[in-house]
């Protein structure tokens, strides 16, 4: 159980991998308001990216297109769909893993189940599917049973629990894979990886970063493989701010 605050390190030697929802912005339910990226956050990430010679990426469950829309006009390197797609450098073409063979069949089954089950919401996010039940935690078991039923061995899919939802995702993608992929390439390679995340889906990232002797930071409560912990999104911004040399700060 991580209890300690992450150390004050120099951003100059680090590669930053940042989850979005619940890490950089307050966790937003998809059936409520879309999270807002404020200019303070854009400025902070720009300064941090400069301080780290460009080694900064968002690693999210959202698609890269959605991340781009939220940060507009700022464009960041990013990996979306939990490592299912990625753009290692700004301006580079988006790349992705192949479509899992069982995805379309799983889509039909899960969508039909959600339509017939009040309190749930179905979402297709590119290569993954989500069954939301944010206000009805009692539906988790039923949603998980449906999700598990479509994740047959040859589907190329697996089910994961997350906050207020179950997700169905390609077996070949997770945030750990995403981070390792970044770390093989410049400007990330050779730096100390730093990964911040708040959810169960971030655990693969924490494990990958720990194996690379990096800094893994869990945001908020809950058991985790992360080595450090910060209490909330405000503490994340404060800590990231503290890593930038005063001369690099833009505000
Ligand atoms: Mg998150």
């Amino acid at each position: 159980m991580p209890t300690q605050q992450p150390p004050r390190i120099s951003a100059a030697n680090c590669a930053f991998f940042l989850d979005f929802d619940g890490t950089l912005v307050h966790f937003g339910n998809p059936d409520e308001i879309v999270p807002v990226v404020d200019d303070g956050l854009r400025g902070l990430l720009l300064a941090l990216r400069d301080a780290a010679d460009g080694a900064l990426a968002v690693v999210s469950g959202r698609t890269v297109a959605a991340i781009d829309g939220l940060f507009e006009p700022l464009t960041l390197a990013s990996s979306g769909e939990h490592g299912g797609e990625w753009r290692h450098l700004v301006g580079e073409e988006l790349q992705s893993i192949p479509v899992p063979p069982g995805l379309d069949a799983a889509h039909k089954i899960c969508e039909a189940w959600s339509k017939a089950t009040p309190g749930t919401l179905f979402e297709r996010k590119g290569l993954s599917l989500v069954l939301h039940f944010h206000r009805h935690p009692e539906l988790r078991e039923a949603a998980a049973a449906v999700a598990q039923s479509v994740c047959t061995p040859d589907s190329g899919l697996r089910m994961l629990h997350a906050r207020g939802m179950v997700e169905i995702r390609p077996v070949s993608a997770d945030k750990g894979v995403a981070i390792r992929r970044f770390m093989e390439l410049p400007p990330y390679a050779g730096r100390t990886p730093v990964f911040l995340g708040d959810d169960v889906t971030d655990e693969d990232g924490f494990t990958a970063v720990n194996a690379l002797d990096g800094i893994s930071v869990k945001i908020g409560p809950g058991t985790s493989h992360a080595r450090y912990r910060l209490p909330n999104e405000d503490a994340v911004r404060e800590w990231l701010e503290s890593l930038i040399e005063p001369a690099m700060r833009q505000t």
Side-chain angles (χ1 to χ4, degrees), residues 19-23 27 59-61 163 175 197-199 201-202:
D19 171 49
F20 181 72
D21 294 84
T23 297
F27 183 78
V59 179
S60 173
R163 198 190 293 177
K175 289 193 177 183
D198 69 303
D199 209 345
T201 56
D202 297 311

Side-chain angles (χ1 to χ4, degrees), residues 124-176:
R124 168 79 181 253
K125 296 197 290 187
L127 297 174
S128 57
L129 312 171
V130 186
L131 288 168
H132 298 277
F133 44 82
H134 291 277
R135 294 203 190 83
H136 297 276
E138 72 279 6
L139 291 170
R140 177 175 292 279
E141 209 175 312
V146 174
Q148 197 61 66
S149 76
V150 299
C151 296
T152 54
D154 55 357
S155 67
L157 299 168
R158 62 181 172 144
M159 184 200 72
L160 288 111
H161 285 278
R163 198 190 293 177
M165 61 181 105
V166 292
E167 298 194 49
I168 296 160
R169 289 210 226 116
V171 287
S172 55
D174 66 50
K175 289 193 177 183

Side-chain angles (χ1 to χ4, degrees), residues 62-112:
R62 291 177 184 267
T63 61
V64 168
I67 296 290
D68 284 350
L70 287 159
F71 278 95
E72 201 179 13
L74 175 63
T75 309
L76 298 165
S78 54
S79 178
E81 299 210 42
H82 306 277
E85 56 175 20
W86 59 92
R87 183 180 58 212
H88 288 133
L89 295 168
V90 176
E92 195 181 70
E93 207 173 307
L94 186 66
Q95 300 184 68
S96 73
I97 60 163
V99 178
L103 188 62
D104 287 340
H107 179 140
K108 289 193 187 95
I109 291 166
C110 291
E111 189 173 36

Side-chain angles (χ1 to χ4, degrees), residues 156-235:
L157 299 168
R158 62 181 172 144
M159 184 200 72
L160 288 111
H161 285 278
R163 198 190 293 177
M165 61 181 105
V166 292
E167 298 194 49
I168 296 160
R169 289 210 226 116
V171 287
S172 55
D174 66 50
K175 289 193 177 183
V177 173
I179 290 169
R180 282 195 294 274
R181 211 185 275 126
F182 277 103
M183 289 302 293
E184 285 170 7
L185 298 164
Y188 311 93
R191 293 170 170 271
T192 301
V194 178
F195 176 53
L196 283 71
D198 69 303
D199 209 345
V200 185
T201 56
D202 297 311
E203 293 298 321
D204 294 318
F206 296 144
T207 306
V209 160
N210 291 346
L212 293 166
D213 222 8
I215 294 175
S216 50
V217 188
K218 163 86 174 173
I219 315 308
T223 54
S224 177
H225 293 106
R227 290 182 174 148
Y228 304 97
R229 191 188 297 276
L230 287 166
N232 53 40
E233 301 86 345
D234 293 337

